[in-house]
Amino acid sequence: QVQLVESGGGLVQAGGSLRLSCRASQRPGAVGWYRQTPGNSRALLGSINSAGGTNYVDSVKGRFTISRDNAKNTVYLQMNNLKPEDTAVYYCNAAGTWTSTAYSQGDYWGQGTQVTVSS
């Protein structure tokens, strides 16, 4: 069992930045970041493998960056130039299957962290 705890969400003005953290209870393997808005399913934003390779969906390329610190079992999501449409609950997912162009979710989810972007 891998336990995940997200943190770093909050309220930010449009154009601002936030860095979310996903801390795992043990080495999480490949990790994906998702977000969910009311009435919608969780949408993948991007993912990172154990070696630091990343992929992103087109809508966040150039604005969001995923990184990891394996010594801390922590994966980060740096979000820049935030827009009101980025408002959502953000989740990390661990132990998924990573390729250079895709991520298939694993069995472990964090509790989510709310990001609200004001205009």
Side-chain angles (χ1 to χ4, degrees):
Q1 288 275 350
V2 179
Q3 295 179 327
L4 304 172
V5 178
E6 297 104 335
S7 61
L11 174 64
V12 63
Q13 289 187 330
S17 298
L18 281 175
R19 188 178 79 159
L20 307 184
S21 298
C22 172
R23 179 169 50 85
S25 58
Q26 60 190 67
R27 295 187 71 174
V31 171
W33 279 100
Y34 292 73
R35 67 186 178 192
Q36 186 173 26
T37 54
N40 294 301
S41 57
R42 293 179 188 179
L44 178 66
L45 302 173
S47 62
I48 188 167
N49 66 13
S50 296
T54 57
N55 57 41
Y56 302 92
V57 299
D58 287 344
S59 61
V60 303
K61 280 181 181 177
R63 294 195 302 128
F64 290 8
T65 302
I66 299 172
S67 61
R68 67 192 295 155
D69 184 337
N70 286 336
K72 297 180 179 179
N73 290 333
T74 300
V75 174
Y76 304 98
L77 177 64
Q78 176 69 43
M79 305 185 293
N80 298 327
N81 190 23
L82 284 162
K83 306 174 182 180
E85 52 264 42
D86 294 317
T87 295
V89 179
Y90 285 70
Y91 297 89
C92 59
N93 170 271
T97 301
W98 187 93
T99 72
S100 61
T101 57
Y103 177 81
S104 299
Q105 70 184 49
D107 293 334
Y108 307 105
W109 291 95
Q111 84 288 354
T113 185
Q114 175 71 46
V115 171
T116 303
V117 184
S118 64
S119 56

